[in-house]
């Protein structure tokens, strides 16, 4: 989720969260949950609300648990080995970088020890760079500009500039085939307001190393959204281009669905029942289902597409198809689109249990 570091900080913050929740409640009138819906979902084997994990989009592996336990104890070596085990699976490598950098942003003694022991270690360098990004945004905070002090802005800009330097250092020492240090720079480019030309130069460095890294495409889509440095038209164009470039099973069909979500969420007057049933959105959902069917069964990235499909299919009243996605993802909801509102559980349960209701009624 490298391109979503900034996005998640802002979208999940303060008053913005509240406004999103109010709008979502208004949009979903008539789709509320009842006690019968809750019971039906449990009877069908779905996870109760109290057991939903809002932090992760799939179960945490024993390797990740062990790596985090080690760094909490001050030992960086198991974490370094765990990260390097991702090999050239760049989506998994950036995910593991972020897991470790989130921890380092809270307590970095183990990371400093790692850098001291291996000054030229490219893995340590990229974790350091991503940690610098997260620290900068922790200082900036999640509130809107008018609720952020000038001192916060001043320190933020200092720190994000330092993060840029750290990213460039990570790029210098990285394996020439590794796009991850350039992916770390994506949210920096958003924060510093890279021009379209500058961002295209950064993007060229990523895609020449690997043109099909899903996380990189999601990050770039954020840049091209209207809320950042682009427009709805530019975001849709980028998403279509990305999806068209992917082979079956690459899961780049996520991008058009993501672009439509961003557009719908930015329009306070949009009716999602109308918006998501436009022919082009229905076609995008169909393409995503075909793409998902071609993906490897063990592809961890598939969850990102399943979460998005569950949301879109719900609004399209394609409840049996939506329930297939909910069954695959149920229990772990730390993913878009649920995290785009303050109460991610409420959004998820509303959609899931509505689909359960419709399917049981028609059984």
């Amino acid at each position: 989720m490298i391109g979503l570091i900034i996005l998640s900080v802002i979208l999940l913050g303060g008053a913005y969260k509240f406004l999103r929740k109010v709008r979502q409640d208004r949009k979903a009138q008539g789709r509320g949950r009842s006690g019968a819906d809750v019971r039906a979902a449990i009877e069908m084997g779905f996870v109760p609300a109290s057991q939903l994990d809002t932090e992760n989009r799939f179960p945490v592996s024993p390797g990740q648990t062990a790596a985090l336990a080690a760094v909490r104890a001050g030992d960086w070596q198991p974490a370094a080995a765990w990260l390097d085990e991702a090999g050239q699976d760049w989506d998994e490598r950036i995910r593991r970088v972020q897991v470790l950098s989130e921890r380092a942003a809270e307590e970095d003694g183990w990371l400093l020890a790692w850098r001291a022991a291996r000054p030229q270690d490219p893995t340590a360098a990229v974790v350091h760079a991503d940690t610098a990004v997260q620290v900068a945004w922790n200082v900036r905070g999640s509130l809107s500009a008018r609720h952020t002090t000038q001192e916060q802005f001043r320190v933020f800009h200092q720190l994000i500039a330092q993060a840029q330097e750290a990213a460039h250092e990570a790029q210098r020492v990285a394996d020439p085939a590794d796009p991850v240090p350039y992916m770390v720079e994506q949210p920096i480019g958003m924060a510093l307001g890279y021009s379209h030309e500058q961002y295209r130069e950064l993007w060229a460095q990523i895609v020449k190393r690997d043109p099909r890294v899903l996380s990189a495409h999601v990050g770039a889509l954020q840049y091209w959204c209207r809320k950042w440095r682009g427009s709805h038209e530019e975001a849709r164009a980028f998403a279509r281009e990305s999806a068209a470039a992917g082979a079956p099973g690459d899961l780049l069909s996520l991008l058009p669905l993501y672009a439509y979500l961003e557009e719908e969420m930015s329009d306070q007057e949009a009716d999602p029942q109308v918006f998501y049933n436009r022919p082009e959105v229905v076609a995008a959902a169909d393409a995503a289902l075909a793409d998902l069917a071609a993906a490897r069964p063990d592809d961890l990235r598939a969850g990102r597409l399943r979460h998005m499909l569950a949301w879109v299919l719900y609004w399209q009243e394609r409840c049996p198809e939506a329930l297939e996605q909910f069954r695959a993802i149920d229990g772990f909801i730390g993913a878009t689109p649920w995290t785009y509102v303050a109460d991610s559980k409420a959004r998820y349960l509303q959609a899931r249990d509505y689909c359960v209701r419709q399917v049981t009624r028609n059984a």
Side-chain angles (χ1 to χ4, degrees), residues 31-52 330 345-346 348-358 360:
R31 291 185 173 226
R33 299 168 71 225
S34 68
D37 294 335
V38 174
R39 289 190 296 274
I42 300 305
E43 288 171 1
M44 289 184 71
F46 287 103
V47 173
S50 61
Q51 296 178 22
L52 291 174
D330 197 45
K345 279 190 181 183
Y348 177 81
L349 291 167
Q350 171 190 296
R352 186 196 73 182
D353 293 358
Y354 175 85
C355 290
V356 168
R357 181 199 314 165
Q358 299 305 309
T360 54

PDB file of all heavy atoms in Angstrom, residues 31-52 330 345-346 348-358 360:
ATOM      1  N   ARG A  31     -30.842   0.366   3.418  1.00  0.00           N
ATOM      2  CA  ARG A  31     -30.009  -0.838   3.388  1.00  0.00           C
ATOM      3  C   ARG A  31     -29.461  -1.152   4.776  1.00  0.00           C
ATOM      4  O   ARG A  31     -28.408  -1.760   4.900  1.00  0.00           O
ATOM      5  CB  ARG A  31     -28.856  -0.652   2.405  1.00  0.00           C
ATOM      6  CG  ARG A  31     -29.318  -0.595   0.943  1.00  0.00           C
ATOM      7  CD  ARG A  31     -28.121  -0.544   0.011  1.00  0.00           C
ATOM      8  NE  ARG A  31     -28.574  -0.668  -1.373  1.00  0.00           N
ATOM      9  CZ  ARG A  31     -28.015  -1.459  -2.273  1.00  0.00           C
ATOM     10  NH1 ARG A  31     -26.974  -2.195  -1.956  1.00  0.00           N
ATOM     11  NH2 ARG A  31     -28.466  -1.510  -3.506  1.00  0.00           N
ATOM     12  N   GLY A  32     -30.144  -0.713   5.794  1.00  0.00           N
ATOM     13  CA  GLY A  32     -29.668  -0.947   7.145  1.00  0.00           C
ATOM     14  C   GLY A  32     -29.743  -2.416   7.537  1.00  0.00           C
ATOM     15  O   GLY A  32     -30.431  -3.218   6.905  1.00  0.00           O
ATOM     16  N   ARG A  33     -29.040  -2.770   8.620  1.00  0.00           N
ATOM     17  CA  ARG A  33     -29.016  -4.143   9.102  1.00  0.00           C
ATOM     18  C   ARG A  33     -30.078  -4.318  10.183  1.00  0.00           C
ATOM     19  O   ARG A  33     -30.323  -3.424  10.975  1.00  0.00           O
ATOM     20  CB  ARG A  33     -27.651  -4.486   9.690  1.00  0.00           C
ATOM     21  CG  ARG A  33     -26.515  -4.386   8.711  1.00  0.00           C
ATOM     22  CD  ARG A  33     -25.188  -4.456   9.452  1.00  0.00           C
ATOM     23  NE  ARG A  33     -24.920  -5.793   9.972  1.00  0.00           N
ATOM     24  CZ  ARG A  33     -24.475  -6.036  11.190  1.00  0.00           C
ATOM     25  NH1 ARG A  33     -24.295  -5.050  12.043  1.00  0.00           N
ATOM     26  NH2 ARG A  33     -24.213  -7.270  11.576  1.00  0.00           N
ATOM     27  N   SER A  34     -30.645  -5.488  10.238  1.00  0.00           N
ATOM     28  CA  SER A  34     -31.581  -5.847  11.295  1.00  0.00           C
ATOM     29  C   SER A  34     -31.001  -7.013  12.081  1.00  0.00           C
ATOM     30  O   SER A  34     -30.012  -7.635  11.676  1.00  0.00           O
ATOM     31  CB  SER A  34     -32.936  -6.241  10.696  1.00  0.00           C
ATOM     32  OG  SER A  34     -32.808  -7.465   9.975  1.00  0.00           O
ATOM     33  N   GLY A  35     -31.651  -7.304  13.193  1.00  0.00           N
ATOM     34  CA  GLY A  35     -31.206  -8.455  13.964  1.00  0.00           C
ATOM     35  C   GLY A  35     -31.290  -9.738  13.162  1.00  0.00           C
ATOM     36  O   GLY A  35     -30.436 -10.618  13.276  1.00  0.00           O
ATOM     37  N   ALA A  36     -32.333  -9.823  12.317  1.00  0.00           N
ATOM     38  CA  ALA A  36     -32.479 -11.016  11.480  1.00  0.00           C
ATOM     39  C   ALA A  36     -31.330 -11.130  10.488  1.00  0.00           C
ATOM     40  O   ALA A  36     -30.837 -12.239  10.206  1.00  0.00           O
ATOM     41  CB  ALA A  36     -33.816 -10.969  10.736  1.00  0.00           C
ATOM     42  N   ASP A  37     -30.877  -9.983   9.945  1.00  0.00           N
ATOM     43  CA  ASP A  37     -29.741 -10.001   9.019  1.00  0.00           C
ATOM     44  C   ASP A  37     -28.495 -10.521   9.708  1.00  0.00           C
ATOM     45  O   ASP A  37     -27.729 -11.312   9.153  1.00  0.00           O
ATOM     46  CB  ASP A  37     -29.471  -8.594   8.478  1.00  0.00           C
ATOM     47  CG  ASP A  37     -30.606  -8.078   7.613  1.00  0.00           C
ATOM     48  OD1 ASP A  37     -31.344  -8.903   7.054  1.00  0.00           O
ATOM     49  OD2 ASP A  37     -30.733  -6.851   7.495  1.00  0.00           O
ATOM     50  N   VAL A  38     -28.282 -10.043  10.928  1.00  0.00           N
ATOM     51  CA  VAL A  38     -27.094 -10.467  11.687  1.00  0.00           C
ATOM     52  C   VAL A  38     -27.144 -11.970  11.915  1.00  0.00           C
ATOM     53  O   VAL A  38     -26.145 -12.679  11.711  1.00  0.00           O
ATOM     54  CB  VAL A  38     -27.020  -9.708  13.022  1.00  0.00           C
ATOM     55  CG1 VAL A  38     -25.877 -10.249  13.874  1.00  0.00           C
ATOM     56  CG2 VAL A  38     -26.848  -8.211  12.779  1.00  0.00           C
ATOM     57  N   ARG A  39     -28.285 -12.464  12.343  1.00  0.00           N
ATOM     58  CA  ARG A  39     -28.409 -13.904  12.609  1.00  0.00           C
ATOM     59  C   ARG A  39     -28.215 -14.721  11.337  1.00  0.00           C
ATOM     60  O   ARG A  39     -27.559 -15.765  11.348  1.00  0.00           O
ATOM     61  CB  ARG A  39     -29.773 -14.206  13.230  1.00  0.00           C
ATOM     62  CG  ARG A  39     -29.918 -13.698  14.663  1.00  0.00           C
ATOM     63  CD  ARG A  39     -31.184 -14.242  15.307  1.00  0.00           C
ATOM     64  NE  ARG A  39     -32.391 -13.762  14.641  1.00  0.00           N
ATOM     65  CZ  ARG A  39     -32.997 -12.595  14.927  1.00  0.00           C
ATOM     66  NH1 ARG A  39     -32.490 -11.809  15.870  1.00  0.00           N
ATOM     67  NH2 ARG A  39     -34.098 -12.238  14.296  1.00  0.00           N
ATOM     68  N   ALA A  40     -28.781 -14.241  10.236  1.00  0.00           N
ATOM     69  CA  ALA A  40     -28.642 -14.967   8.973  1.00  0.00           C
ATOM     70  C   ALA A  40     -27.187 -15.053   8.548  1.00  0.00           C
ATOM     71  O   ALA A  40     -26.720 -16.095   8.066  1.00  0.00           O
ATOM     72  CB  ALA A  40     -29.474 -14.287   7.891  1.00  0.00           C
ATOM     73  N   ALA A  41     -26.447 -13.954   8.724  1.00  0.00           N
ATOM     74  CA  ALA A  41     -25.032 -13.958   8.346  1.00  0.00           C
ATOM     75  C   ALA A  41     -24.244 -14.947   9.197  1.00  0.00           C
ATOM     76  O   ALA A  41     -23.397 -15.696   8.683  1.00  0.00           O
ATOM     77  CB  ALA A  41     -24.448 -12.556   8.484  1.00  0.00           C
ATOM     78  N   ILE A  42     -24.519 -14.988  10.483  1.00  0.00           N
ATOM     79  CA  ILE A  42     -23.809 -15.914  11.366  1.00  0.00           C
ATOM     80  C   ILE A  42     -24.163 -17.352  11.004  1.00  0.00           C
ATOM     81  O   ILE A  42     -23.308 -18.233  10.968  1.00  0.00           O
ATOM     82  CB  ILE A  42     -24.151 -15.624  12.844  1.00  0.00           C
ATOM     83  CG1 ILE A  42     -23.750 -14.189  13.211  1.00  0.00           C
ATOM     84  CG2 ILE A  42     -23.444 -16.619  13.751  1.00  0.00           C
ATOM     85  CD1 ILE A  42     -22.311 -13.842  12.938  1.00  0.00           C
ATOM     86  N   GLU A  43     -25.431 -17.593  10.716  1.00  0.00           N
ATOM     87  CA  GLU A  43     -25.861 -18.942  10.343  1.00  0.00           C
ATOM     88  C   GLU A  43     -25.206 -19.408   9.050  1.00  0.00           C
ATOM     89  O   GLU A  43     -24.987 -20.605   8.848  1.00  0.00           O
ATOM     90  CB  GLU A  43     -27.389 -18.975  10.202  1.00  0.00           C
ATOM     91  CG  GLU A  43     -28.116 -18.881  11.530  1.00  0.00           C
ATOM     92  CD  GLU A  43     -29.622 -18.702  11.363  1.00  0.00           C
ATOM     93  OE1 GLU A  43     -30.081 -18.673  10.200  1.00  0.00           O
ATOM     94  OE2 GLU A  43     -30.316 -18.590  12.389  1.00  0.00           O
ATOM     95  N   MET A  44     -24.873 -18.442   8.165  1.00  0.00           N
ATOM     96  CA  MET A  44     -24.204 -18.803   6.916  1.00  0.00           C
ATOM     97  C   MET A  44     -22.697 -18.950   7.092  1.00  0.00           C
ATOM     98  O   MET A  44     -21.972 -19.196   6.127  1.00  0.00           O
ATOM     99  CB  MET A  44     -24.498 -17.754   5.844  1.00  0.00           C
ATOM    100  CG  MET A  44     -25.937 -17.782   5.348  1.00  0.00           C
ATOM    101  SD  MET A  44     -26.234 -16.609   3.993  1.00  0.00           S
ATOM    102  CE  MET A  44     -25.339 -17.404   2.643  1.00  0.00           C
ATOM    103  N   GLY A  45     -22.222 -18.783   8.325  1.00  0.00           N
ATOM    104  CA  GLY A  45     -20.804 -19.001   8.596  1.00  0.00           C
ATOM    105  C   GLY A  45     -19.938 -17.765   8.548  1.00  0.00           C
ATOM    106  O   GLY A  45     -18.701 -17.869   8.617  1.00  0.00           O
ATOM    107  N   PHE A  46     -20.558 -16.575   8.455  1.00  0.00           N
ATOM    108  CA  PHE A  46     -19.766 -15.345   8.425  1.00  0.00           C
ATOM    109  C   PHE A  46     -19.340 -14.942   9.834  1.00  0.00           C
ATOM    110  O   PHE A  46     -19.945 -15.341  10.835  1.00  0.00           O
ATOM    111  CB  PHE A  46     -20.553 -14.225   7.754  1.00  0.00           C
ATOM    112  CG  PHE A  46     -20.670 -14.395   6.261  1.00  0.00           C
ATOM    113  CD1 PHE A  46     -21.848 -14.857   5.686  1.00  0.00           C
ATOM    114  CD2 PHE A  46     -19.594 -14.102   5.432  1.00  0.00           C
ATOM    115  CE1 PHE A  46     -21.963 -15.026   4.314  1.00  0.00           C
ATOM    116  CE2 PHE A  46     -19.688 -14.271   4.056  1.00  0.00           C
ATOM    117  CZ  PHE A  46     -20.873 -14.737   3.493  1.00  0.00           C
ATOM    118  N   VAL A  47     -18.299 -14.145   9.888  1.00  0.00           N
ATOM    119  CA  VAL A  47     -17.679 -13.757  11.156  1.00  0.00           C
ATOM    120  C   VAL A  47     -18.526 -12.713  11.876  1.00  0.00           C
ATOM    121  O   VAL A  47     -18.985 -11.745  11.244  1.00  0.00           O
ATOM    122  CB  VAL A  47     -16.261 -13.201  10.878  1.00  0.00           C
ATOM    123  CG1 VAL A  47     -15.647 -12.619  12.137  1.00  0.00           C
ATOM    124  CG2 VAL A  47     -15.371 -14.288  10.299  1.00  0.00           C
ATOM    125  N   PRO A  48     -18.740 -12.858  13.189  1.00  0.00           N
ATOM    126  CA  PRO A  48     -19.464 -11.829  13.939  1.00  0.00           C
ATOM    127  C   PRO A  48     -18.703 -10.510  13.944  1.00  0.00           C
ATOM    128  O   PRO A  48     -17.474 -10.478  13.792  1.00  0.00           O
ATOM    129  CB  PRO A  48     -19.540 -12.411  15.357  1.00  0.00           C
ATOM    130  CG  PRO A  48     -19.272 -13.865  15.206  1.00  0.00           C
ATOM    131  CD  PRO A  48     -18.372 -14.010  14.021  1.00  0.00           C
ATOM    132  N   ALA A  49     -19.426  -9.422  14.126  1.00  0.00           N
ATOM    133  CA  ALA A  49     -18.815  -8.089  14.109  1.00  0.00           C
ATOM    134  C   ALA A  49     -17.662  -7.978  15.092  1.00  0.00           C
ATOM    135  O   ALA A  49     -16.628  -7.370  14.798  1.00  0.00           O
ATOM    136  CB  ALA A  49     -19.883  -7.038  14.407  1.00  0.00           C
ATOM    137  N   SER A  50     -17.821  -8.572  16.269  1.00  0.00           N
ATOM    138  CA  SER A  50     -16.799  -8.441  17.316  1.00  0.00           C
ATOM    139  C   SER A  50     -15.478  -9.093  16.943  1.00  0.00           C
ATOM    140  O   SER A  50     -14.443  -8.794  17.544  1.00  0.00           O
ATOM    141  CB  SER A  50     -17.316  -9.033  18.621  1.00  0.00           C
ATOM    142  OG  SER A  50     -17.593 -10.418  18.459  1.00  0.00           O
ATOM    143  N   GLN A  51     -15.505  -9.992  15.953  1.00  0.00           N
ATOM    144  CA  GLN A  51     -14.290 -10.722  15.583  1.00  0.00           C
ATOM    145  C   GLN A  51     -13.638 -10.213  14.301  1.00  0.00           C
ATOM    146  O   GLN A  51     -12.641 -10.771  13.850  1.00  0.00           O
ATOM    147  CB  GLN A  51     -14.602 -12.213  15.445  1.00  0.00           C
ATOM    148  CG  GLN A  51     -15.053 -12.860  16.749  1.00  0.00           C
ATOM    149  CD  GLN A  51     -15.407 -14.328  16.581  1.00  0.00           C
ATOM    150  OE1 GLN A  51     -14.965 -14.991  15.642  1.00  0.00           O
ATOM    151  NE2 GLN A  51     -16.216 -14.856  17.484  1.00  0.00           N
ATOM    152  N   LEU A  52     -14.179  -9.158  13.719  1.00  0.00           N
ATOM    153  CA  LEU A  52     -13.594  -8.619  12.490  1.00  0.00           C
ATOM    154  C   LEU A  52     -12.279  -7.912  12.796  1.00  0.00           C
ATOM    155  O   LEU A  52     -12.186  -7.100  13.719  1.00  0.00           O
ATOM    156  CB  LEU A  52     -14.563  -7.643  11.823  1.00  0.00           C
ATOM    157  CG  LEU A  52     -15.828  -8.249  11.211  1.00  0.00           C
ATOM    158  CD1 LEU A  52     -16.751  -7.141  10.726  1.00  0.00           C
ATOM    159  CD2 LEU A  52     -15.475  -9.193  10.062  1.00  0.00           C
ATOM    160  N   ASP A 330     -13.827 -12.564   4.381  1.00  0.00           N
ATOM    161  CA  ASP A 330     -14.494 -12.320   5.656  1.00  0.00           C
ATOM    162  C   ASP A 330     -13.554 -12.532   6.838  1.00  0.00           C
ATOM    163  O   ASP A 330     -12.773 -13.482   6.871  1.00  0.00           O
ATOM    164  CB  ASP A 330     -15.702 -13.250   5.791  1.00  0.00           C
ATOM    165  CG  ASP A 330     -16.673 -12.783   6.860  1.00  0.00           C
ATOM    166  OD1 ASP A 330     -16.980 -11.577   6.897  1.00  0.00           O
ATOM    167  OD2 ASP A 330     -17.125 -13.629   7.659  1.00  0.00           O
ATOM    168  N   LYS A 345     -16.137  -1.175  10.119  1.00  0.00           N
ATOM    169  CA  LYS A 345     -16.975  -2.336  10.407  1.00  0.00           C
ATOM    170  C   LYS A 345     -18.403  -2.103   9.941  1.00  0.00           C
ATOM    171  O   LYS A 345     -19.029  -2.989   9.349  1.00  0.00           O
ATOM    172  CB  LYS A 345     -16.970  -2.635  11.910  1.00  0.00           C
ATOM    173  CG  LYS A 345     -15.779  -3.413  12.404  1.00  0.00           C
ATOM    174  CD  LYS A 345     -16.001  -3.850  13.838  1.00  0.00           C
ATOM    175  CE  LYS A 345     -14.802  -4.615  14.377  1.00  0.00           C
ATOM    176  NZ  LYS A 345     -15.048  -5.112  15.748  1.00  0.00           N
ATOM    177  N   ALA A 346     -18.938  -0.926  10.226  1.00  0.00           N
ATOM    178  CA  ALA A 346     -20.326  -0.642   9.852  1.00  0.00           C
ATOM    179  C   ALA A 346     -20.503  -0.707   8.345  1.00  0.00           C
ATOM    180  O   ALA A 346     -21.480  -1.265   7.839  1.00  0.00           O
ATOM    181  CB  ALA A 346     -20.743   0.728  10.382  1.00  0.00           C
ATOM    182  N   TYR A 348     -18.663  -2.355   6.147  1.00  0.00           N
ATOM    183  CA  TYR A 348     -18.504  -3.742   5.695  1.00  0.00           C
ATOM    184  C   TYR A 348     -19.739  -4.576   6.019  1.00  0.00           C
ATOM    185  O   TYR A 348     -20.270  -5.288   5.157  1.00  0.00           O
ATOM    186  CB  TYR A 348     -17.267  -4.354   6.355  1.00  0.00           C
ATOM    187  CG  TYR A 348     -17.050  -5.802   6.004  1.00  0.00           C
ATOM    188  CD1 TYR A 348     -16.446  -6.173   4.811  1.00  0.00           C
ATOM    189  CD2 TYR A 348     -17.465  -6.815   6.877  1.00  0.00           C
ATOM    190  CE1 TYR A 348     -16.254  -7.507   4.486  1.00  0.00           C
ATOM    191  CE2 TYR A 348     -17.271  -8.148   6.556  1.00  0.00           C
ATOM    192  CZ  TYR A 348     -16.669  -8.495   5.360  1.00  0.00           C
ATOM    193  OH  TYR A 348     -16.488  -9.818   5.033  1.00  0.00           O
ATOM    194  N   LEU A 349     -20.198  -4.497   7.259  1.00  0.00           N
ATOM    195  CA  LEU A 349     -21.327  -5.314   7.683  1.00  0.00           C
ATOM    196  C   LEU A 349     -22.610  -4.935   6.955  1.00  0.00           C
ATOM    197  O   LEU A 349     -23.439  -5.797   6.637  1.00  0.00           O
ATOM    198  CB  LEU A 349     -21.522  -5.193   9.199  1.00  0.00           C
ATOM    199  CG  LEU A 349     -20.413  -5.835  10.040  1.00  0.00           C
ATOM    200  CD1 LEU A 349     -20.536  -5.388  11.486  1.00  0.00           C
ATOM    201  CD2 LEU A 349     -20.457  -7.357   9.937  1.00  0.00           C
ATOM    202  N   GLN A 350     -22.768  -3.663   6.702  1.00  0.00           N
ATOM    203  CA  GLN A 350     -23.936  -3.218   5.955  1.00  0.00           C
ATOM    204  C   GLN A 350     -23.988  -3.888   4.592  1.00  0.00           C
ATOM    205  O   GLN A 350     -25.024  -4.414   4.176  1.00  0.00           O
ATOM    206  CB  GLN A 350     -23.887  -1.709   5.779  1.00  0.00           C
ATOM    207  CG  GLN A 350     -24.926  -1.137   4.837  1.00  0.00           C
ATOM    208  CD  GLN A 350     -24.631   0.313   4.541  1.00  0.00           C
ATOM    209  OE1 GLN A 350     -24.673   1.160   5.431  1.00  0.00           O
ATOM    210  NE2 GLN A 350     -24.296   0.608   3.291  1.00  0.00           N
ATOM    211  N   ALA A 351     -22.854  -3.886   3.887  1.00  0.00           N
ATOM    212  CA  ALA A 351     -22.804  -4.475   2.546  1.00  0.00           C
ATOM    213  C   ALA A 351     -22.912  -5.994   2.607  1.00  0.00           C
ATOM    214  O   ALA A 351     -23.693  -6.611   1.866  1.00  0.00           O
ATOM    215  CB  ALA A 351     -21.511  -4.057   1.853  1.00  0.00           C
ATOM    216  N   ARG A 352     -22.150  -6.608   3.493  1.00  0.00           N
ATOM    217  CA  ARG A 352     -22.151  -8.075   3.568  1.00  0.00           C
ATOM    218  C   ARG A 352     -23.520  -8.614   3.950  1.00  0.00           C
ATOM    219  O   ARG A 352     -24.057  -9.522   3.298  1.00  0.00           O
ATOM    220  CB  ARG A 352     -21.111  -8.532   4.594  1.00  0.00           C
ATOM    221  CG  ARG A 352     -20.922 -10.040   4.666  1.00  0.00           C
ATOM    222  CD  ARG A 352     -20.188 -10.454   5.922  1.00  0.00           C
ATOM    223  NE  ARG A 352     -21.035 -10.344   7.116  1.00  0.00           N
ATOM    224  CZ  ARG A 352     -20.610 -10.606   8.352  1.00  0.00           C
ATOM    225  NH1 ARG A 352     -19.348 -10.984   8.567  1.00  0.00           N
ATOM    226  NH2 ARG A 352     -21.431 -10.501   9.381  1.00  0.00           N
ATOM    227  N   ASP A 353     -24.098  -8.051   5.006  1.00  0.00           N
ATOM    228  CA  ASP A 353     -25.348  -8.606   5.518  1.00  0.00           C
ATOM    229  C   ASP A 353     -26.533  -8.282   4.617  1.00  0.00           C
ATOM    230  O   ASP A 353     -27.509  -9.038   4.578  1.00  0.00           O
ATOM    231  CB  ASP A 353     -25.580  -8.127   6.944  1.00  0.00           C
ATOM    232  CG  ASP A 353     -24.542  -8.688   7.912  1.00  0.00           C
ATOM    233  OD1 ASP A 353     -23.680  -9.478   7.471  1.00  0.00           O
ATOM    234  OD2 ASP A 353     -24.576  -8.327   9.099  1.00  0.00           O
ATOM    235  N   TYR A 354     -26.437  -7.177   3.870  1.00  0.00           N
ATOM    236  CA  TYR A 354     -27.475  -6.907   2.872  1.00  0.00           C
ATOM    237  C   TYR A 354     -27.459  -7.999   1.805  1.00  0.00           C
ATOM    238  O   TYR A 354     -28.505  -8.497   1.391  1.00  0.00           O
ATOM    239  CB  TYR A 354     -27.234  -5.539   2.227  1.00  0.00           C
ATOM    240  CG  TYR A 354     -28.188  -5.237   1.092  1.00  0.00           C
ATOM    241  CD1 TYR A 354     -29.441  -4.682   1.343  1.00  0.00           C
ATOM    242  CD2 TYR A 354     -27.839  -5.505  -0.229  1.00  0.00           C
ATOM    243  CE1 TYR A 354     -30.325  -4.408   0.297  1.00  0.00           C
ATOM    244  CE2 TYR A 354     -28.702  -5.239  -1.272  1.00  0.00           C
ATOM    245  CZ  TYR A 354     -29.943  -4.692  -1.005  1.00  0.00           C
ATOM    246  OH  TYR A 354     -30.807  -4.416  -2.043  1.00  0.00           O
ATOM    247  N   CYS A 355     -26.267  -8.365   1.362  1.00  0.00           N
ATOM    248  CA  CYS A 355     -26.161  -9.412   0.338  1.00  0.00           C
ATOM    249  C   CYS A 355     -26.648 -10.752   0.881  1.00  0.00           C
ATOM    250  O   CYS A 355     -27.299 -11.520   0.163  1.00  0.00           O
ATOM    251  CB  CYS A 355     -24.732  -9.510  -0.165  1.00  0.00           C
ATOM    252  SG  CYS A 355     -24.205  -8.091  -1.152  1.00  0.00           S
ATOM    253  N   VAL A 356     -26.338 -11.032   2.143  1.00  0.00           N
ATOM    254  CA  VAL A 356     -26.856 -12.252   2.765  1.00  0.00           C
ATOM    255  C   VAL A 356     -28.384 -12.234   2.732  1.00  0.00           C
ATOM    256  O   VAL A 356     -29.035 -13.232   2.381  1.00  0.00           O
ATOM    257  CB  VAL A 356     -26.345 -12.381   4.214  1.00  0.00           C
ATOM    258  CG1 VAL A 356     -27.114 -13.472   4.954  1.00  0.00           C
ATOM    259  CG2 VAL A 356     -24.852 -12.688   4.232  1.00  0.00           C
ATOM    260  N   ARG A 357     -28.975 -11.107   3.104  1.00  0.00           N
ATOM    261  CA  ARG A 357     -30.431 -10.984   3.131  1.00  0.00           C
ATOM    262  C   ARG A 357     -31.041 -11.261   1.762  1.00  0.00           C
ATOM    263  O   ARG A 357     -32.000 -12.026   1.644  1.00  0.00           O
ATOM    264  CB  ARG A 357     -30.833  -9.584   3.586  1.00  0.00           C
ATOM    265  CG  ARG A 357     -32.345  -9.356   3.671  1.00  0.00           C
ATOM    266  CD  ARG A 357     -32.686  -7.872   3.658  1.00  0.00           C
ATOM    267  NE  ARG A 357     -31.840  -7.108   4.559  1.00  0.00           N
ATOM    268  CZ  ARG A 357     -31.747  -5.772   4.513  1.00  0.00           C
ATOM    269  NH1 ARG A 357     -32.414  -5.079   3.611  1.00  0.00           N
ATOM    270  NH2 ARG A 357     -30.976  -5.132   5.371  1.00  0.00           N
ATOM    271  N   GLN A 358     -30.455 -10.659   0.724  1.00  0.00           N
ATOM    272  CA  GLN A 358     -31.009 -10.834  -0.610  1.00  0.00           C
ATOM    273  C   GLN A 358     -30.882 -12.268  -1.097  1.00  0.00           C
ATOM    274  O   GLN A 358     -31.798 -12.826  -1.723  1.00  0.00           O
ATOM    275  CB  GLN A 358     -30.322  -9.880  -1.592  1.00  0.00           C
ATOM    276  CG  GLN A 358     -30.497  -8.408  -1.248  1.00  0.00           C
ATOM    277  CD  GLN A 358     -31.946  -8.018  -1.100  1.00  0.00           C
ATOM    278  OE1 GLN A 358     -32.775  -8.295  -1.956  1.00  0.00           O
ATOM    279  NE2 GLN A 358     -32.268  -7.365   0.015  1.00  0.00           N
ATOM    280  N   THR A 360     -30.626 -15.055   0.779  1.00  0.00           N
ATOM    281  CA  THR A 360     -31.498 -15.963   1.533  1.00  0.00           C
ATOM    282  C   THR A 360     -32.955 -15.777   1.137  1.00  0.00           C
ATOM    283  O   THR A 360     -33.724 -16.740   1.115  1.00  0.00           O
ATOM    284  CB  THR A 360     -31.328 -15.755   3.043  1.00  0.00           C
ATOM    285  OG1 THR A 360     -31.524 -14.365   3.363  1.00  0.00           O
ATOM    286  CG2 THR A 360     -29.932 -16.181   3.489  1.00  0.00           C
TER     287      THR A 360
END
